[in-house]
Amino acid sequence: ASQTPVPELSSLISNSYTADGFSLQAGQNNKASLLDKGSCKLSFNVRLEDKSCLEICLVNLSGESVSLIMDGTKLSLDRSHSGMMTDRDDFSQVVSAPLDLCFAFDGYDMDIYLDRASIEVFVDGGKLSITELLFPTEPFKTLEFIGHKGNAHI
């Protein structure tokens, strides 16, 4: 069964960003600026070559961040540096879900909904989804793709 955002969410999105057309090798990164007004939707397709690892990181000017890590077997969300409440053990745990729920033939279609206090990640139309609360002290302004291992194509 697939998860989908509630229809009302579309009316709340004030900005959208679509990334495409670049590749990363281990040690490379690609940054994009995000508008800091309200909520946003980020959309892109990720193709990982065998045994690759890609980090998708949202960062604010205070250095707080939330990261999605794709390693070919799982998608993990790390909010341990995302702002207030990161000192709580239950808040700083990394949440993971298996990517084998999705079909990687043409890559993974990613839709990320971000607002002031939450992140929702939908992969391949909701075959995999992760939702978490965030408490940053200011909005995230930078989207960064970081290649950690192998090759990734966005």
Side-chain angles (χ1 to χ4, degrees):
S2 293
Q3 302 290 318
T4 57
V6 295
E8 295 81 7
L9 188 59
S10 296
S11 67
L12 300 174
I13 300 299
S14 56
N15 300 297
S16 62
Y17 173 80
T18 302
D20 63 3
F22 61 91
S23 296
L24 295 172
Q25 296 176 343
Q28 293 182 320
N29 66 10
N30 187 312
K31 293 182 182 182
S33 295
L34 300 175
L35 300 174
D36 62 342
K37 297 179 180 178
S39 57
C40 68
K41 178 183 177 186
L42 311 170
S43 298
F44 44 87
N45 179 279
V46 174
R47 284 186 298 115
L48 298 173
E49 291 184 10
D50 191 38
K51 299 184 181 179
S52 295
C53 182
L54 174 71
E55 181 177 359
I56 302 155
C57 190
L58 294 155
V59 183
N60 65 19
L61 294 176
S62 296
E64 298 163 340
S65 64
V66 60
S67 293
L68 289 164
I69 299 108
M70 299 179 77
D71 69 3
T73 62
K74 67 184 177 299
L75 173 68
S76 301
L77 189 143
D78 181 354
R79 62 180 182 170
S80 62
H81 303 288
S82 64
M84 299 177 283
M85 301 204 38
T86 56
D87 58 342
R88 292 183 45 165
D89 288 338
D90 58 338
F91 193 85
S92 62
Q93 293 177 356
V94 175
V95 175
S96 297
L99 282 171
D100 63 359
L101 298 172
C102 305
F103 299 106
F105 179 71
D106 288 329
Y108 301 100
D109 290 324
M110 308 276 297
D111 290 309
I112 301 171
Y113 294 85
L114 180 70
D115 67 16
R116 182 76 173 150
S118 68
I119 185 169
E120 293 192 78
V121 181
F122 296 90
V123 182
D124 285 349
K127 288 184 180 81
L128 181 142
S129 63
I130 297 176
T131 301
E132 289 290 345
L133 293 175
L134 306 170
F135 299 101
T137 57
E138 60 184 275
F140 295 108
K141 292 192 174 195
T142 303
L143 171 63
E144 184 171 10
F145 295 88
I146 305 164
H148 288 293
K149 183 178 171 185
N151 296 316
H153 309 279
I154 311 301

